[in-house]
Amino acid sequence: MRDRYIAPAIMLIAGAVTSIFNIINGIDFLKGLERLLLVLILFYILGRIAARIIKKVTAAEQKPDSTEENNPREEEVITEEAEDNE
């Protein structure tokens, strides 16, 4: 759920930096808006790509690996063997 806010956050930060840069350097208003639009579109796309990569990495970490964890059937067999030995 939190992954959906990554792209807009990156886009807005890049837009703020671009706006500050335009104001400090005294860029013409129309030229500044053109740059801002280009930066917003570009960083939104980059943010979407970053969000997908982060989502895949976190999903791979959360997915249990069946080879490392005990299988419930193995636990049943162990308990049945322990009961038979008693």
Side-chain angles (χ1 to χ4, degrees):
M1 185 68 160
R2 294 178 294 177
D3 298 338
R4 72 180 207 188
Y5 297 118
I6 293 172
I10 291 173
M11 179 186 73
L12 290 174
I13 292 169
V17 170
T18 303
S19 297
I20 292 168
F21 178 78
N22 288 338
I23 292 169
I24 290 173
N25 290 327
I27 304 296
D28 184 41
F29 184 72
L30 186 58
K31 187 68 172 173
L33 286 178
E34 290 172 356
R35 287 183 183 179
L36 181 61
L37 179 62
L38 180 65
V39 166
L40 291 176
I41 291 170
L42 177 68
F43 276 90
Y44 183 75
I45 293 169
L46 290 175
R48 292 289 301 238
I49 293 169
R52 285 184 183 170
I53 292 171
I54 292 170
K55 192 173 184 178
K56 284 183 182 181
V57 169
T58 56
E61 289 178 358
Q62 292 175 355
K63 183 178 177 184
D65 192 14
S66 61
T67 59
E68 293 180 7
E69 294 182 5
N70 289 335
N71 195 348
R73 290 183 180 176
E74 291 177 8
E75 291 177 5
E76 290 175 9
V77 171
I78 292 171
T79 55
E80 288 175 5
E81 289 177 359
E83 289 174 1
D84 290 340
N85 291 335
E86 294 176 357

